[in-house]
Amino acid sequence: MAAPVLRWCCPARRWILANIDRGPRHGRGAPTGSRSSGKRGQSSVAQQPLVTAQKPRKGEHQWAAVVGLEIHAQISSNSKLFSGSQVHFAAPPNSLVSFFDASLPGTLPVLNRRCVEAAVMTGLALNCHINKKSLFDRKHYFYADLPAGYQITQQRLPIAVKGSLAYSICVGKKRNQVINKTVRIKQIQLEQDSGKSLHDDLRSQTLIDLNRAGVGLLEVVLEPDMSCGEEAATAVRELQLILQALGTSQANMAEGQLRVDANISVHRPGEPLGVRTEVKNLNSARFLAKAIDYEIQRQIEELENGGEILNETRSFDYKLGCTVPMRDKEGKQDYRFIPEPNLPPLLLYDSASLPAGADPQQVINIDQLREQLPELPSVTREKLVQQYGMLPEHSLTLLNEVGLLEFFQNVMKETRAEPKKVTSWVLNTFLGFLKQQNLAVSESPVTPSALAELLNLLDQKAISSAAAKKVFEELWRSGGKTPAQIVSEKRLELMQDQEALEQLCQATMEEHPQVVMDLKKGNPRAINKLIGLVRKATLNRADPTVIKEMLEKQLSS
Amino acid sequence: MLGRTLREVSAALKQGQITPTELCQKCLSLIKKTKFLNAYITVSEDVALKQAEESEERYKKGYVPPYNATVVQKLLDQGALLMGKTNLDEFAMGALGSDTGGSTRNPAAHCGVVGLKPSYGLVSRHGLIPLVNSMDVPGILTRCVDDAATVLGVLAGHDCKDSTTVQDPVQSFILPSLTDVSKLCIGIPKEYLVPELSSEVQSLWSKAAKLFESEGAKVIEVSLPHTSYSIVCYLVLCTSEVASNMARFDGLEYGHRCDIKVSTEAMYAATRREGFNDVVRGRILSGNFFILKENYENYFIKAQKVRRLIANDFVNVFNSGVDVLLTPTTLSEAVPYMEFIKEDNRTRSAQGDIFTQAVNMAGLPAVSVPMALSSQGLPVGLQFIGRAFCDQQLLTVAKWFEKQVQFPVIQLQEIMGDCSSVFENDLASVSLKQ
């Protein structure tokens, strides 16, 4: 099934809810085939021509979607949240499992300091209130990848609450209108990750790998302030950038370091919120928006057909491109939360409340962490705009594409060309080539140095823009050569000899007196013809602008 | 040798009057001779003898230990030998006991030995299979109060592997020999005088109170008004935590596993039905009931509130000038087996724990000290309860009491036979170097 076309009203899309005319589409007159009261019939307003379009789909413009997210980010730390076993991606199965992780009786949880710091830093970056006292709880359920039969989490009193995440989406035909949005953060909590189940249907068995069991997670809960897949995907991307800038999580979705669950419902504007479904384990950036949009569409269709939405858990089938019901649950799960008795309340301090003579190993100072926060993406983007005069949407793209900002900065280091030129080349030409071949920045055959050198040649007017584009193409195709080599191989250098060019101009004019005549008569196209002729004579090694200047000069003398 | 205190034995070992292997063999021999008591499930004879060998080596050089429960490790570090695991229900530990509601003090009272429950947070629970995490404490069973203090001295202290142990440095536990008790105030909780208390125990309790009084101590009646709620409160909290702690026994990572292949759920259910006995299953089912979302507020939270009230009862009493409380440990001497099985476990627990479990809820230190033999010739012990983290003071009072009552410690044939020759050369003024 192809991805469904959006039919409801998402502010980022072309159909904006507020502007939809709910009245008859076809002008003020009554629709065809129905003559109503006489008064209308006597209306002096000219009826607009009826468009022979179909009637609008029932309720097309009358739905609003509500999307909330629960995002689990694996904390970047050396060891797990409550035990000393290491955290590594793709280690041999069950090679990073301590007695505690395997739930051997008698083992006790010991809180990992680095994980707490990661949670506080993330909370600060997301404008949260940090709870100086937070508590740990047990959430019980039976599953093979949960050895203890419960997960240690923070249900009653999490470490951070009430924050916000700002993100920007680009709208408009050229997607160059930047709209700033905010989504509220309900809370951030520390919790354990579970192990991994690998289902072997062939042998009717399930294999359990506990390497991941007990790894620290930050659960970030986003309030249902988003209204479509694009907004959700953009918010997630921004959170990823923040986590990566902080270093608190590598947030790589492909490696399972960032997992998203979406809570989705639809309702008619003005009416209460609809029943929501939970779509779990959206683990691909590419499919996040698609999955959410599909579910929204599914719910709308279901309701329009007189059906009802079940409060259920669904997952996204990537191959089919649709959501499917996930757990067969008769009745809801009761997690039987109780306080975790082996962990005292987590107490955090700030500079004002820090007890005198406290062992720095044993306490965490929120103010100190705040001072040490690295630069956040929004600040980086602002700096780019200020420093290089680029447009906000450019700074968005630079940060959104993995590795692109670094590439850009490396080019800037080695070139004298104007920042605007560099921006344009990186975002248009370079990025264009990448996208065409579906490559990541890291896979680019063109290095920052090569592009810098090319831009320098352009800047020095050693080559024309057209030539530069050709050189770039060649660089892309055969990574080994330098721009200078390519230029000389293809003889693309601009003529530097002014005298020679002047002579050529002169000669060309003498060879084509007719054109010169036309020009003097005032024919506007004649000059271009002349320029073209001179260019040809120079084997395309002269800048048209320069030629034009020269010709005009010669003509006027 | 086996009748001596730990310090005396330790000194003898150091002085070479007896070797670890010889001592070990004596213990093993005694175990064999008393096999009919069925005190040991497992006798790790080979391990013990090997450890004895290693111990002999260690008297000469240093030692780096492997992983174990912290308390076991601490004892091993001090040169103790693990003789084996003793016979209790599958979730209690051996002669290092564990005390959740009285399970160290009760058997101690019935067997005529000292049973100490230290303050919660003083001794690491790492490696202790948990029953109720917020009440469990490793318990210490010894022949005399001095030995209990010795062992406590080894075991107490912060353990980074147990986040519920206190960080404050622990003082040593060498007990002074109290001679003057005139500054002491002993509290007698009136709510502990229950109709089910046997007349023999009651009279011993009375006798003990009078003993303190006659030696100059102040003995007063105090009130712990919420005592009558403690059994029910304990029931709710204990079963709730048990249900949680037992959730890990699914047969996947270790232990018994049923050979059911229909589904994971089916395997779990069968494994757990087979692996747990009736008592444990009953506790799990009740516990899960209490922590269901719809019941949590009315049972679990309520019980926590009542627990706070019970703990406050003790705080109030200690704040009013009482140093130590004196109570019975058990309702009566040990009940014969045929008598015992007439009631179900829940009733027996309720009866058995009546004097001991409020202490666990309050996290206080308590010790059962044997006082006298009943008319049937069975031991009866009394319990002393102290302030939180005042374990040393508690044991000091207990030691004085022990000296006063001179309980007839059991003398087995073996002990009489072998010890005399070794101890010919004086041990009267043994120096207690660690």
Side-chain angles (χ1 to χ4, degrees), chain A residues 99-100 102-111 137-138 140 142-150 156 204 206 208 210 334-344 362, chain B residues 67 120 124-130 133-134 160-164 167 240-241 243-245 247-250 252-254 264-265 268 272 288 291-294 296 300 304:
Chain A
F99 293 140
F100 175 78
S103 80
L104 295 201
T107 53
L108 300 167
V110 180
L111 187 54
D137 304 288
R138 291 183 181 180
H140 299 86
F142 286 106
Y143 205 70
D145 63 18
L146 197 68
Y150 59 84
R156 288 170 291 157
S204 290
T206 303
I208 308 291
L210 294 180
D334 188 329
Y335 292 115
R336 290 162 284 134
F337 287 97
I338 63 168
E340 168 54 66
N342 294 317
L343 291 170
Q362 287 298 323
Chain B
Y67 165 79
Y120 183 90
S124 171
R125 292 183 295 112
H126 169 70
L128 184 68
I129 298 184
N133 289 286
S134 64
C160 59
K161 297 193 196 108
D162 178 353
S163 308
T164 60
Q167 309 243 351
S240 300
E241 285 209 38
S244 177
N245 288 330
R248 67 189 60 208
F249 296 106
D250 52 22
L252 279 185
E253 295 85 12
Y254 44 82
T264 313
E265 282 84 6
Y268 272 36
R272 287 165 69 82
N288 274 324
I291 60 179
L292 287 175
K293 199 167 173 186
E294 71 242 29
Y296 184 73
F300 189 86
Q304 293 284 24

Side-chain angles (χ1 to χ4, degrees), chain B residues 27-42:
Chain B
C27 291
L28 286 168
S29 177
L30 185 57
I31 290 173
K32 285 196 182 100
K33 290 219 159 99
T34 54
K35 199 161 172 205
F36 62 93
L37 291 174
N38 210 16
Y40 281 80
I41 310 174
T42 313

Side-chain angles (χ1 to χ4, degrees), chain A residues 247-258:
Chain A
T248 51
S249 171
Q250 289 170 322
N252 183 333
M253 286 183 91
E255 289 184 7
Q257 291 158 342
L258 194 79

Side-chain angles (χ1 to χ4, degrees), chain B residues 104-182:
Chain B
T104 295
R105 290 162 284 157
N106 287 3
H110 286 145
C111 298
V113 295
V114 172
L116 168 65
K117 176 210 164 300
S119 299
Y120 183 90
L122 194 57
V123 180
S124 171
R125 292 183 295 112
H126 169 70
L128 184 68
I129 298 184
L131 194 71
V132 184
N133 289 286
S134 64
M135 297 185 206
D136 295 345
V137 185
I140 298 166
L141 293 155
T142 55
R143 233 201 319 281
C144 65
V145 175
D146 260 334
D147 283 354
T150 306
V151 175
L152 184 62
V154 170
L155 301 186
H158 176 67
D159 181 12
C160 59
K161 297 193 196 108
D162 178 353
S163 308
T164 60
T165 52
V166 291
Q167 309 243 351
D168 302 341
V170 165
Q171 292 159 334
S172 77
F173 283 92
I174 299 186
L175 300 181
S177 291
L178 208 57
T179 46
D180 172 24
V181 294
S182 59

